[in-house]
Amino acid sequence: MRGAKLLVLLVASSLCLYAAIAAQETCPADLDAKCGDGAADDWEGEFFPGIAKIKYEGPTSKKPLAYKWYNAEEVILGKKMKDWLRFSVAFWHTFRGTGGDPFGAATKAWPWEDGTNSLAMAKRRMKAHFEFMEKLGVDRWCFHDRDIAPDGKTLAETNANLDEIVELAKQLQDETNIKPLWGTAQLFMHPRYMHGAATSPEVKVYAYAAAQVKKALEVTHYLGGENYVFWGGREGYQTLLNTDMKRELEHLANFLQAAVDHKKKIGFKGILLIEPKPQEPTKHQYDWDVATTFSFLQKYGLTGEFKINVECNHATLSGHSCHHELETARINGLLGNIDANTGDPQVGWDTDEFLTDISEATLVMSSVVKNGGLAPGGFNFDAKLRRESTDVEDMFIAHISGMDTMARGLRNVAKLIEDGSLDELVRKRYQSFDSEIGAMIEAGKGDFETLEKKVLEWGEPTVPSGKQELAEMLFQSAL
């Protein structure tokens, strides 16, 4: 009998504890709600005490919290480094990343977090974000609408939540001269978007996505954003057996055209960007890579309205190098922005690691320099700390390492240009087209009859070496 009473008492205690935890996890988006000890916006002092503003100390510095290669005001190839690189902090990975994965729970418990998704917590998080950027010396940021403000019970309530956080962000921007590189709508996490947003077979979902993008565009414009990104994580399919691909692609094109129309209506002068990715979470994503996206834009008459946001990890997932995707975008006049990250070659998914490979960074920067820069785009660190990195200073170390890597890549490109040997190798490889017949071909006037006569005159062509090993040697010499 005593054992039975004890069991009942233990069960009752467990239920009370579970109820308390559940109440905290489902804290309403209400400033007046009392939902856990930290629900009120009562944070005092710095969020990153003991960490001063990060300074450039040069390659010989051994300090983790110092730049070795990124010197913002230094002029390289006629521009300041900060103008070539235009760095941005991704709010979602940096301040909403938990370290959780499909096999394990969250590992990060930042001191300012209280375990709720309240408006008060969102405000505190935004203040921490701006202090982080100020200390890092980065003057741009990127965001998804639902990452910076919590969902409400209705669209109207959700928009009101977003407005409240945006007002705080605007105030913090005015105080710091920091502004968004780009904004976007999160159209992939909520269950309503399980079949897609613009490509959903349900018209009410399509309409909801349109309303969400409308608001996100307006918010990005209000905050002075320079670009707006479309990443269609669920704009694709899991199987063609239940998919009308033609209809979905037409719906997507109409959705993007409506976005263009609204952009012009509200006077937003920023660039609309599409971010390709081949798959994950869908089996097949419609904007698979840059070439596929370019073809889509051409078919639906949208090429003059959009550019491309190339993410390096997405490039490798599609079977290309980041350099390939950048060059494909650049030569077609579509290179607008870069999500600077990388994947692990031994892992077959989107790991979003900070890019720290000097060779890769040099190739990336070679495309950027050839493009004349990225403005009004830039480099957004769509990258996250590893699950096992749980110290607050790791947030700084990761960004410093990523920034130094891209800066070192820029310095290497300057070396290659100054040396000129690699450019000369490429020039010589195509020098036969600098002839009269070559010029005729490149002008589109090389008809087959004329070319046949030349072949009969020349005889069998002599094909020179491609000098690939020499090209690789010259490239490596700059690293």
Side-chain angles (χ1 to χ4, degrees):
M1 187 67 176
R2 182 178 299 174
K5 288 182 179 179
L6 181 60
L7 178 61
V8 170
L9 180 61
L10 286 171
V11 170
S13 300
S14 298
L15 289 172
C16 290
L17 178 61
Y18 175 82
I21 294 172
Q24 184 172 357
E25 290 176 343
T26 58
C27 182
D30 181 356
L31 278 172
D32 298 322
K34 301 301 180 183
C35 201
D37 294 337
D41 189 20
D42 55 359
W43 189 271
E44 295 181 2
E46 294 186 4
F47 294 94
F48 304 96
I51 296 180
K53 184 162 184 172
I54 309 302
K55 297 179 180 179
Y56 172 73
E57 295 190 5
T60 60
S61 175
K62 301 298 182 184
K63 295 180 182 177
L65 298 180
Y67 294 118
K68 289 80 177 173
W69 300 96
Y70 177 61
N71 186 9
E73 299 296 325
E74 184 179 347
V75 175
I76 304 284
L77 297 174
K79 289 184 185 178
K80 292 181 179 181
M81 294 189 85
K82 67 178 184 181
D83 295 326
W84 277 116
L85 297 166
R86 292 170 58 83
F87 288 130
S88 168
V89 173
F91 186 90
W92 57 96
H93 280 320
T94 310
F95 283 89
R96 300 310 306 268
T98 66
D101 65 21
F103 302 95
T107 60
K108 305 184 197 314
W110 305 131
W112 54 84
E113 292 287 339
D114 66 9
T116 73
N117 195 31
S118 65
L119 269 174
M121 185 61 246
K123 289 182 176 182
R124 181 188 298 174
R125 195 180 290 123
M126 186 63 70
K127 292 175 181 177
H129 171 60
F130 271 82
E131 182 183 316
F132 176 76
M133 289 188 290
E134 276 200 289
K135 289 190 171 184
L136 195 63
V138 171
D139 56 9
R140 290 175 179 85
W141 64 297
C142 295
F143 66 91
H144 296 95
D145 52 358
R146 298 298 181 260
D147 292 329
I148 63 173
D151 261 318
K153 294 179 181 178
T154 65
L155 179 62
E157 184 180 325
T158 298
N159 286 346
N161 291 343
L162 183 57
D163 286 338
E164 194 159 340
I165 298 302
V166 165
E167 284 304 321
L168 173 61
K170 184 69 165 61
Q171 174 189 328
L172 294 169
Q173 287 187 175
D174 292 342
E175 294 171 358
T176 58
N177 202 30
I178 293 171
K179 63 181 179 181
L181 180 64
W182 52 259
T184 189
Q186 189 194 80
L187 302 177
F188 51 87
M189 185 172 288
H190 196 282
R192 77 172 69 90
Y193 297 125
M194 65 180 178
H195 301 303
T199 59
S200 173
E202 173 53 57
V203 70
K204 291 181 180 178
V205 173
Y206 182 102
Y208 201 107
Q212 191 173 334
V213 169
K214 172 183 178 291
K215 182 65 175 178
L217 269 169
E218 292 165 356
V219 162
T220 302
H221 179 38
Y222 176 71
L223 289 173
E226 298 176 275
N227 306 269
Y228 183 90
V229 168
F230 291 86
W231 176 62
R234 298 195 187 274
E235 310 296 14
Y237 60 80
Q238 301 296 353
T239 175
L240 284 171
L241 293 175
N242 64 356
T243 301
D244 187 335
M245 187 193 294
K246 180 176 183 294
R247 203 169 186 183
E248 288 195 3
L249 286 169
E250 289 172 349
H251 290 174
L252 178 58
N254 291 336
F255 190 95
L256 293 174
Q257 182 59 60
V260 170
D261 295 341
H262 192 65
K263 166 197 166 178
K264 294 177 180 177
K265 182 177 181 180
I266 64 176
F268 178 48
K269 303 299 183 184
I271 304 297
L272 299 181
L273 301 166
I274 293 179
E275 180 180 325
K277 187 180 182 182
Q279 61 216 28
E280 189 196 21
T282 58
K283 175 181 177 179
H284 177 90
Q285 190 169 312
Y286 289 134
D287 49 3
W288 180 275
D289 59 8
V290 172
T292 305
T293 304
F294 184 32
S295 176
F296 172 86
L297 293 173
Q298 286 179 312
K299 177 175 180 178
Y300 293 104
L302 294 166
T303 47
E305 305 293 352
F306 289 85
K307 289 192 174 184
I308 303 291
N309 177 38
V310 175
E311 177 171 322
C312 289
N313 200 170
H314 293 179
T316 52
L317 289 175
S318 67
H320 305 304
S321 66
C322 188
H323 192 208
H324 168 89
E325 289 291 83
L326 292 172
E327 285 297 278
T328 304
R330 182 185 70 80
I331 65 177
N332 288 295
L334 292 171
L335 180 55
N337 194 82
I338 297 174
D339 273 4
N341 64 12
T342 190
D344 190 314
Q346 292 181 274
V347 179
W349 64 80
D350 194 8
T351 54
D352 285 336
E353 300 176 37
F354 280 84
L355 199 164
T356 56
D357 185 290
I358 306 303
S359 175
E360 177 82 348
T362 304
L363 292 171
V364 168
M365 288 310 304
S366 70
S367 290
V368 172
V369 170
K370 288 176 183 176
N371 198 59
L374 291 171
F379 281 93
N380 173 49
F381 286 109
D382 189 0
K384 57 189 174 186
L385 292 177
R386 297 302 86 197
R387 174 178 168 79
E388 302 80 13
S389 299
T390 56
D391 290 342
V392 168
E393 74 165 6
D394 293 336
M395 298 169 69
F396 286 90
I397 291 170
H399 283 82
I400 291 167
S401 178
M403 293 165 72
D404 267 344
T405 300
M406 299 314 303
R408 195 168 177 181
L410 175 59
R411 293 178 185 276
N412 290 342
V413 171
K415 289 182 193 176
L416 288 168
I417 291 174
E418 182 180 358
D419 175 74
S421 298
L422 186 56
D423 287 340
E424 179 63 11
L425 184 151
V426 175
R427 187 197 67 78
K428 284 183 176 180
R429 189 166 183 231
Y430 294 91
Q431 66 183 353
S432 68
F433 277 87
D434 296 331
S435 63
E436 182 180 352
I437 191 71
M440 184 180 70
I441 292 170
E442 292 188 339
K445 298 177 181 179
D447 63 90
F448 282 4
E449 287 79 5
T450 301
L451 295 176
E452 182 187 41
K453 289 177 182 177
K454 295 302 293 186
V455 170
L456 293 171
E457 176 189 331
W458 292 332
E460 185 65 28
T462 301
V463 183
S465 169
K467 296 292 183 183
Q468 179 178 333
E469 293 77 13
L470 177 58
E472 291 167 347
M473 178 187 290
L474 294 172
F475 176 77
Q476 292 293 330
S477 69
L479 303 186

